[in-house]
Amino acid sequence: MSSELEREIGHDEFDPVGTLGLITIYFLILVVLWIFMYFVEFAGGDLTVVGVVV
Amino acid sequence: MNIHTYEKFWLGASMVLIVGFILTITYGSVGLGIAMVDDSEPTINPENVGDHPDFGDPGVEQVGENEYVVHVVAVQFAYFPGEIEVPADSTVTFKLTSEDVIHSFSVVGTNANTMIIPGEIASVTVEADEPGEYGIVCSEYCGSGHHDMEGKLTVVPQDEFELEGDE
Ligand SMILES: [Cu+2]
């Protein structure tokens, strides 16, 4: 590797939009899966154990 | 500290996710009334379950207008009673205990599922809304006949329901 600096950018000039896009998609998948798992698969199921919260 | 904007976004998003998880669980327990099976029931001597006032004569019992208690004894490799019938639109509490080893009471395809531990009484309360038929299986390996250990829960329409012994 050459040690010659080709271009110097500042901290916030580093702009990995691809990574941002990926983690955004990942985040949305997590949210959708959680809602599906909890409200549809679990809470939407029959015969759920109920009781009074002490 | 110098944190990149995107990293801040991800940190914020994961906090939102965690808070969201906690909020949904809180909503489930406070709003929907979903509960956990706990150890609030008294203990029982597994040696003479038959002498117990409730478990000595297990089965369905009416305790309120639309409230029923079902005592079930689990042994290797059956439930007593094996066939349970309760009316629709009722609140049913299963009280479960074992005479020998650890079993489970798992109403297949539903969220009603608990371990049955000898010496302990497990209490599971569910709302039986719609008529239907459910299988009950033991999902704790309990011995050579484990695969045969099953029961049946039938939720019948209210006008078809009759308590055992009532004519
Ligand atoms: Cu068993």
Side-chain angles (χ1 to χ4, degrees), chain A residues 1 3 6-7 11 17 19-21 23 31-32 37 39-40 45 47 49 52-53:
Chain A
M1 264 191 91
S3 59
E6 208 150 280
R7 182 161 63 101
H11 185 267
V17 272
T19 308
L20 179 70
I23 60 170
V31 170
V32 169
M37 189 196 76
F39 290 97
V40 179
L47 301 187
V49 181
V52 185
V53 187

mmCIF file with all atom_site columns, all heavy atoms in Angstrom, chain A residues 1 3 6-7 11 17 19-21 23 31-32 37 39-40 45 47 49 52-53:
data_model
loop_
_atom_site.group_PDB
_atom_site.id
_atom_site.type_symbol
_atom_site.label_atom_id
_atom_site.label_alt_id
_atom_site.label_comp_id
_atom_site.label_asym_id
_atom_site.label_entity_id
_atom_site.label_seq_id
_atom_site.pdbx_PDB_ins_code
_atom_site.Cartn_x
_atom_site.Cartn_y
_atom_site.Cartn_z
_atom_site.occupancy
_atom_site.B_iso_or_equiv
_atom_site.pdbx_formal_charge
_atom_site.auth_seq_id
_atom_site.auth_comp_id
_atom_site.auth_asym_id
_atom_site.auth_atom_id
_atom_site.pdbx_PDB_model_num
ATOM 1   N N   . MET A 1 1  ? 0.829   -1.207  0.000  1.00 0.00 ? 1  MET A N   1
ATOM 2   C CA  . MET A 1 1  ? 0.000   0.000   0.000  1.00 0.00 ? 1  MET A CA  1
ATOM 3   C C   . MET A 1 1  ? 0.861   1.253   0.000  1.00 0.00 ? 1  MET A C   1
ATOM 4   O O   . MET A 1 1  ? 1.864   1.327   0.685  1.00 0.00 ? 1  MET A O   1
ATOM 5   C CB  . MET A 1 1  ? -0.887  0.003   1.236  1.00 0.00 ? 1  MET A CB  1
ATOM 6   C CG  . MET A 1 1  ? -2.263  -0.558  0.954  1.00 0.00 ? 1  MET A CG  1
ATOM 7   S SD  . MET A 1 1  ? -3.374  -0.238  2.318  1.00 0.00 ? 1  MET A SD  1
ATOM 8   C CE  . MET A 1 1  ? -4.074  1.318   1.840  1.00 0.00 ? 1  MET A CE  1
ATOM 9   N N   . SER A 1 3  ? 1.805   4.874   0.997  1.00 0.00 ? 3  SER A N   1
ATOM 10  C CA  . SER A 1 3  ? 1.541   5.685   2.182  1.00 0.00 ? 3  SER A CA  1
ATOM 11  C C   . SER A 1 3  ? 1.164   7.107   1.785  1.00 0.00 ? 3  SER A C   1
ATOM 12  O O   . SER A 1 3  ? 0.884   7.933   2.627  1.00 0.00 ? 3  SER A O   1
ATOM 13  C CB  . SER A 1 3  ? 2.787   5.705   3.085  1.00 0.00 ? 3  SER A CB  1
ATOM 14  O OG  . SER A 1 3  ? 3.852   6.241   2.326  1.00 0.00 ? 3  SER A OG  1
ATOM 15  N N   . GLU A 1 6  ? -4.107  10.084  -0.686 1.00 0.00 ? 6  GLU A N   1
ATOM 16  C CA  . GLU A 1 6  ? -4.717  10.482  -1.930 1.00 0.00 ? 6  GLU A CA  1
ATOM 17  C C   . GLU A 1 6  ? -5.708  11.623  -1.701 1.00 0.00 ? 6  GLU A C   1
ATOM 18  O O   . GLU A 1 6  ? -5.743  12.599  -2.417 1.00 0.00 ? 6  GLU A O   1
ATOM 19  C CB  . GLU A 1 6  ? -5.441  9.304   -2.561 1.00 0.00 ? 6  GLU A CB  1
ATOM 20  C CG  . GLU A 1 6  ? -5.497  9.432   -4.055 1.00 0.00 ? 6  GLU A CG  1
ATOM 21  C CD  . GLU A 1 6  ? -5.513  8.089   -4.727 1.00 0.00 ? 6  GLU A CD  1
ATOM 22  O OE1 . GLU A 1 6  ? -4.425  7.466   -4.878 1.00 0.00 ? 6  GLU A OE1 1
ATOM 23  O OE2 . GLU A 1 6  ? -6.623  7.663   -5.060 1.00 0.00 ? 6  GLU A OE2 1
ATOM 24  N N   . ARG A 1 7  ? -6.541  11.423  -0.650 1.00 0.00 ? 7  ARG A N   1
ATOM 25  C CA  . ARG A 1 7  ? -7.535  12.467  -0.362 1.00 0.00 ? 7  ARG A CA  1
ATOM 26  C C   . ARG A 1 7  ? -7.833  12.402  1.129  1.00 0.00 ? 7  ARG A C   1
ATOM 27  O O   . ARG A 1 7  ? -8.075  11.325  1.672  1.00 0.00 ? 7  ARG A O   1
ATOM 28  C CB  . ARG A 1 7  ? -8.814  12.170  -1.155 1.00 0.00 ? 7  ARG A CB  1
ATOM 29  C CG  . ARG A 1 7  ? -9.898  13.221  -0.972 1.00 0.00 ? 7  ARG A CG  1
ATOM 30  C CD  . ARG A 1 7  ? -10.908 13.117  -2.122 1.00 0.00 ? 7  ARG A CD  1
ATOM 31  N NE  . ARG A 1 7  ? -11.593 11.824  -2.108 1.00 0.00 ? 7  ARG A NE  1
ATOM 32  C CZ  . ARG A 1 7  ? -12.834 11.654  -1.620 1.00 0.00 ? 7  ARG A CZ  1
ATOM 33  N NH1 . ARG A 1 7  ? -13.512 12.676  -1.143 1.00 0.00 ? 7  ARG A NH1 1
ATOM 34  N NH2 . ARG A 1 7  ? -13.413 10.476  -1.633 1.00 0.00 ? 7  ARG A NH2 1
ATOM 35  N N   . HIS A 1 11 ? -14.168 13.882  9.574  1.00 0.00 ? 11 HIS A N   1
ATOM 36  C CA  . HIS A 1 11 ? -14.905 12.822  10.261 1.00 0.00 ? 11 HIS A CA  1
ATOM 37  C C   . HIS A 1 11 ? -16.306 12.622  9.682  1.00 0.00 ? 11 HIS A C   1
ATOM 38  O O   . HIS A 1 11 ? -16.738 11.504  9.403  1.00 0.00 ? 11 HIS A O   1
ATOM 39  C CB  . HIS A 1 11 ? -15.003 13.169  11.748 1.00 0.00 ? 11 HIS A CB  1
ATOM 40  C CG  . HIS A 1 11 ? -15.638 12.095  12.564 1.00 0.00 ? 11 HIS A CG  1
ATOM 41  N ND1 . HIS A 1 11 ? -16.982 12.066  12.849 1.00 0.00 ? 11 HIS A ND1 1
ATOM 42  C CD2 . HIS A 1 11 ? -15.104 11.001  13.139 1.00 0.00 ? 11 HIS A CD2 1
ATOM 43  C CE1 . HIS A 1 11 ? -17.244 11.003  13.582 1.00 0.00 ? 11 HIS A CE1 1
ATOM 44  N NE2 . HIS A 1 11 ? -16.123 10.335  13.773 1.00 0.00 ? 11 HIS A NE2 1
ATOM 45  N N   . VAL A 1 17 ? -23.363 5.627   2.742  1.00 0.00 ? 17 VAL A N   1
ATOM 46  C CA  . VAL A 1 17 ? -24.812 5.543   2.550  1.00 0.00 ? 17 VAL A CA  1
ATOM 47  C C   . VAL A 1 17 ? -25.294 4.114   2.373  1.00 0.00 ? 17 VAL A C   1
ATOM 48  O O   . VAL A 1 17 ? -26.413 3.780   2.768  1.00 0.00 ? 17 VAL A O   1
ATOM 49  C CB  . VAL A 1 17 ? -25.292 6.381   1.338  1.00 0.00 ? 17 VAL A CB  1
ATOM 50  C CG1 . VAL A 1 17 ? -25.591 7.791   1.752  1.00 0.00 ? 17 VAL A CG1 1
ATOM 51  C CG2 . VAL A 1 17 ? -24.276 6.336   0.221  1.00 0.00 ? 17 VAL A CG2 1
ATOM 52  N N   . THR A 1 19 ? -24.115 1.439   3.846  1.00 0.00 ? 19 THR A N   1
ATOM 53  C CA  . THR A 1 19 ? -24.244 0.868   5.189  1.00 0.00 ? 19 THR A CA  1
ATOM 54  C C   . THR A 1 19 ? -25.477 1.432   5.889  1.00 0.00 ? 19 THR A C   1
ATOM 55  O O   . THR A 1 19 ? -26.221 0.700   6.540  1.00 0.00 ? 19 THR A O   1
ATOM 56  C CB  . THR A 1 19 ? -22.982 1.195   6.013  1.00 0.00 ? 19 THR A CB  1
ATOM 57  O OG1 . THR A 1 19 ? -21.844 0.793   5.261  1.00 0.00 ? 19 THR A OG1 1
ATOM 58  C CG2 . THR A 1 19 ? -22.996 0.475   7.342  1.00 0.00 ? 19 THR A CG2 1
ATOM 59  N N   . LEU A 1 20 ? -25.675 2.719   5.723  1.00 0.00 ? 20 LEU A N   1
ATOM 60  C CA  . LEU A 1 20 ? -26.859 3.342   6.326  1.00 0.00 ? 20 LEU A CA  1
ATOM 61  C C   . LEU A 1 20 ? -28.134 2.696   5.801  1.00 0.00 ? 20 LEU A C   1
ATOM 62  O O   . LEU A 1 20 ? -29.045 2.356   6.566  1.00 0.00 ? 20 LEU A O   1
ATOM 63  C CB  . LEU A 1 20 ? -26.871 4.845   6.022  1.00 0.00 ? 20 LEU A CB  1
ATOM 64  C CG  . LEU A 1 20 ? -28.073 5.611   6.582  1.00 0.00 ? 20 LEU A CG  1
ATOM 65  C CD1 . LEU A 1 20 ? -27.998 5.691   8.088  1.00 0.00 ? 20 LEU A CD1 1
ATOM 66  C CD2 . LEU A 1 20 ? -28.163 6.999   5.978  1.00 0.00 ? 20 LEU A CD2 1
ATOM 67  N N   . GLY A 1 21 ? -28.155 2.486   4.487  1.00 0.00 ? 21 GLY A N   1
ATOM 68  C CA  . GLY A 1 21 ? -29.324 1.822   3.893  1.00 0.00 ? 21 GLY A CA  1
ATOM 69  C C   . GLY A 1 21 ? -29.518 0.433   4.463  1.00 0.00 ? 21 GLY A C   1
ATOM 70  O O   . GLY A 1 21 ? -30.641 0.051   4.824  1.00 0.00 ? 21 GLY A O   1
ATOM 71  N N   . ILE A 1 23 ? -28.489 -0.863  7.411  1.00 0.00 ? 23 ILE A N   1
ATOM 72  C CA  . ILE A 1 23 ? -28.946 -0.922  8.798  1.00 0.00 ? 23 ILE A CA  1
ATOM 73  C C   . ILE A 1 23 ? -30.363 -0.394  8.934  1.00 0.00 ? 23 ILE A C   1
ATOM 74  O O   . ILE A 1 23 ? -31.107 -0.832  9.808  1.00 0.00 ? 23 ILE A O   1
ATOM 75  C CB  . ILE A 1 23 ? -27.980 -0.207  9.787  1.00 0.00 ? 23 ILE A CB  1
ATOM 76  C CG1 . ILE A 1 23 ? -27.819 1.274   9.464  1.00 0.00 ? 23 ILE A CG1 1
ATOM 77  C CG2 . ILE A 1 23 ? -26.635 -0.905  9.838  1.00 0.00 ? 23 ILE A CG2 1
ATOM 78  C CD1 . ILE A 1 23 ? -27.072 2.036   10.541 1.00 0.00 ? 23 ILE A CD1 1
ATOM 79  N N   . VAL A 1 31 ? -38.389 -4.419  13.434 1.00 0.00 ? 31 VAL A N   1
ATOM 80  C CA  . VAL A 1 31 ? -39.649 -3.850  13.924 1.00 0.00 ? 31 VAL A CA  1
ATOM 81  C C   . VAL A 1 31 ? -40.832 -4.678  13.420 1.00 0.00 ? 31 VAL A C   1
ATOM 82  O O   . VAL A 1 31 ? -41.712 -5.071  14.193 1.00 0.00 ? 31 VAL A O   1
ATOM 83  C CB  . VAL A 1 31 ? -39.785 -2.376  13.484 1.00 0.00 ? 31 VAL A CB  1
ATOM 84  C CG1 . VAL A 1 31 ? -41.181 -1.853  13.767 1.00 0.00 ? 31 VAL A CG1 1
ATOM 85  C CG2 . VAL A 1 31 ? -38.741 -1.521  14.201 1.00 0.00 ? 31 VAL A CG2 1
ATOM 86  N N   . VAL A 1 32 ? -40.820 -4.986  12.118 1.00 0.00 ? 32 VAL A N   1
ATOM 87  C CA  . VAL A 1 32 ? -41.924 -5.750  11.550 1.00 0.00 ? 32 VAL A CA  1
ATOM 88  C C   . VAL A 1 32 ? -41.996 -7.143  12.178 1.00 0.00 ? 32 VAL A C   1
ATOM 89  O O   . VAL A 1 32 ? -43.070 -7.620  12.562 1.00 0.00 ? 32 VAL A O   1
ATOM 90  C CB  . VAL A 1 32 ? -41.779 -5.845  10.012 1.00 0.00 ? 32 VAL A CB  1
ATOM 91  C CG1 . VAL A 1 32 ? -42.764 -6.848  9.433  1.00 0.00 ? 32 VAL A CG1 1
ATOM 92  C CG2 . VAL A 1 32 ? -41.989 -4.476  9.377  1.00 0.00 ? 32 VAL A CG2 1
ATOM 93  N N   . MET A 1 37 ? -44.509 -11.137 15.566 1.00 0.00 ? 37 MET A N   1
ATOM 94  C CA  . MET A 1 37 ? -44.338 -12.189 16.564 1.00 0.00 ? 37 MET A CA  1
ATOM 95  C C   . MET A 1 37 ? -45.193 -11.925 17.792 1.00 0.00 ? 37 MET A C   1
ATOM 96  O O   . MET A 1 37 ? -45.869 -12.824 18.284 1.00 0.00 ? 37 MET A O   1
ATOM 97  C CB  . MET A 1 37 ? -42.871 -12.286 16.968 1.00 0.00 ? 37 MET A CB  1
ATOM 98  C CG  . MET A 1 37 ? -42.573 -13.479 17.835 1.00 0.00 ? 37 MET A CG  1
ATOM 99  S SD  . MET A 1 37 ? -40.975 -13.311 18.644 1.00 0.00 ? 37 MET A SD  1
ATOM 100 C CE  . MET A 1 37 ? -41.378 -12.128 19.916 1.00 0.00 ? 37 MET A CE  1
ATOM 101 N N   . PHE A 1 39 ? -47.818 -9.479  18.389 1.00 0.00 ? 39 PHE A N   1
ATOM 102 C CA  . PHE A 1 39 ? -49.250 -9.188  18.285 1.00 0.00 ? 39 PHE A CA  1
ATOM 103 C C   . PHE A 1 39 ? -50.016 -10.215 17.473 1.00 0.00 ? 39 PHE A C   1
ATOM 104 O O   . PHE A 1 39 ? -51.174 -10.490 17.751 1.00 0.00 ? 39 PHE A O   1
ATOM 105 C CB  . PHE A 1 39 ? -49.467 -7.783  17.711 1.00 0.00 ? 39 PHE A CB  1
ATOM 106 C CG  . PHE A 1 39 ? -49.055 -6.716  18.675 1.00 0.00 ? 39 PHE A CG  1
ATOM 107 C CD1 . PHE A 1 39 ? -47.802 -6.130  18.579 1.00 0.00 ? 39 PHE A CD1 1
ATOM 108 C CD2 . PHE A 1 39 ? -49.897 -6.324  19.707 1.00 0.00 ? 39 PHE A CD2 1
ATOM 109 C CE1 . PHE A 1 39 ? -47.401 -5.160  19.486 1.00 0.00 ? 39 PHE A CE1 1
ATOM 110 C CE2 . PHE A 1 39 ? -49.501 -5.357  20.612 1.00 0.00 ? 39 PHE A CE2 1
ATOM 111 C CZ  . PHE A 1 39 ? -48.254 -4.775  20.503 1.00 0.00 ? 39 PHE A CZ  1
ATOM 112 N N   . VAL A 1 40 ? -49.393 -10.774 16.449 1.00 0.00 ? 40 VAL A N   1
ATOM 113 C CA  . VAL A 1 40 ? -50.114 -11.722 15.612 1.00 0.00 ? 40 VAL A CA  1
ATOM 114 C C   . VAL A 1 40 ? -49.939 -13.142 16.129 1.00 0.00 ? 40 VAL A C   1
ATOM 115 O O   . VAL A 1 40 ? -50.892 -13.830 16.469 1.00 0.00 ? 40 VAL A O   1
ATOM 116 C CB  . VAL A 1 40 ? -49.664 -11.613 14.136 1.00 0.00 ? 40 VAL A CB  1
ATOM 117 C CG1 . VAL A 1 40 ? -50.417 -12.622 13.272 1.00 0.00 ? 40 VAL A CG1 1
ATOM 118 C CG2 . VAL A 1 40 ? -49.889 -10.196 13.624 1.00 0.00 ? 40 VAL A CG2 1
ATOM 119 N N   . GLY A 1 45 ? -53.054 -15.489 19.462 1.00 0.00 ? 45 GLY A N   1
ATOM 120 C CA  . GLY A 1 45 ? -53.332 -16.908 19.651 1.00 0.00 ? 45 GLY A CA  1
ATOM 121 C C   . GLY A 1 45 ? -54.430 -17.140 20.674 1.00 0.00 ? 45 GLY A C   1
ATOM 122 O O   . GLY A 1 45 ? -54.765 -16.269 21.469 1.00 0.00 ? 45 GLY A O   1
ATOM 123 N N   . LEU A 1 47 ? -56.317 -19.143 23.922 1.00 0.00 ? 47 LEU A N   1
ATOM 124 C CA  . LEU A 1 47 ? -55.983 -19.651 25.258 1.00 0.00 ? 47 LEU A CA  1
ATOM 125 C C   . LEU A 1 47 ? -54.663 -19.092 25.789 1.00 0.00 ? 47 LEU A C   1
ATOM 126 O O   . LEU A 1 47 ? -53.709 -19.823 26.003 1.00 0.00 ? 47 LEU A O   1
ATOM 127 C CB  . LEU A 1 47 ? -55.931 -21.184 25.254 1.00 0.00 ? 47 LEU A CB  1
ATOM 128 C CG  . LEU A 1 47 ? -57.203 -21.906 24.851 1.00 0.00 ? 47 LEU A CG  1
ATOM 129 C CD1 . LEU A 1 47 ? -57.054 -23.400 25.056 1.00 0.00 ? 47 LEU A CD1 1
ATOM 130 C CD2 . LEU A 1 47 ? -58.410 -21.421 25.623 1.00 0.00 ? 47 LEU A CD2 1
ATOM 131 N N   . VAL A 1 49 ? -52.489 -17.405 28.723 1.00 0.00 ? 49 VAL A N   1
ATOM 132 C CA  . VAL A 1 49 ? -52.490 -17.388 30.179 1.00 0.00 ? 49 VAL A CA  1
ATOM 133 C C   . VAL A 1 49 ? -52.727 -15.957 30.654 1.00 0.00 ? 49 VAL A C   1
ATOM 134 O O   . VAL A 1 49 ? -51.972 -15.052 30.311 1.00 0.00 ? 49 VAL A O   1
ATOM 135 C CB  . VAL A 1 49 ? -51.143 -17.903 30.730 1.00 0.00 ? 49 VAL A CB  1
ATOM 136 C CG1 . VAL A 1 49 ? -51.168 -17.891 32.258 1.00 0.00 ? 49 VAL A CG1 1
ATOM 137 C CG2 . VAL A 1 49 ? -50.867 -19.301 30.217 1.00 0.00 ? 49 VAL A CG2 1
ATOM 138 N N   . VAL A 1 52 ? -53.927 -11.487 37.097 1.00 0.00 ? 52 VAL A N   1
ATOM 139 C CA  . VAL A 1 52 ? -53.782 -10.129 37.610 1.00 0.00 ? 52 VAL A CA  1
ATOM 140 C C   . VAL A 1 52 ? -52.312 -9.876  37.902 1.00 0.00 ? 52 VAL A C   1
ATOM 141 O O   . VAL A 1 52 ? -51.626 -10.705 38.485 1.00 0.00 ? 52 VAL A O   1
ATOM 142 C CB  . VAL A 1 52 ? -54.608 -9.956  38.899 1.00 0.00 ? 52 VAL A CB  1
ATOM 143 C CG1 . VAL A 1 52 ? -54.557 -8.521  39.370 1.00 0.00 ? 52 VAL A CG1 1
ATOM 144 C CG2 . VAL A 1 52 ? -56.037 -10.411 38.668 1.00 0.00 ? 52 VAL A CG2 1
ATOM 145 N N   . VAL A 1 53 ? -51.849 -8.733  37.441 1.00 0.00 ? 53 VAL A N   1
ATOM 146 C CA  . VAL A 1 53 ? -50.469 -8.374  37.726 1.00 0.00 ? 53 VAL A CA  1
ATOM 147 C C   . VAL A 1 53 ? -50.404 -7.888  39.170 1.00 0.00 ? 53 VAL A C   1
ATOM 148 O O   . VAL A 1 53 ? -51.125 -6.976  39.559 1.00 0.00 ? 53 VAL A O   1
ATOM 149 C CB  . VAL A 1 53 ? -49.975 -7.256  36.774 1.00 0.00 ? 53 VAL A CB  1
ATOM 150 C CG1 . VAL A 1 53 ? -48.493 -7.018  36.980 1.00 0.00 ? 53 VAL A CG1 1
ATOM 151 C CG2 . VAL A 1 53 ? -50.255 -7.634  35.346 1.00 0.00 ? 53 VAL A CG2 1
#
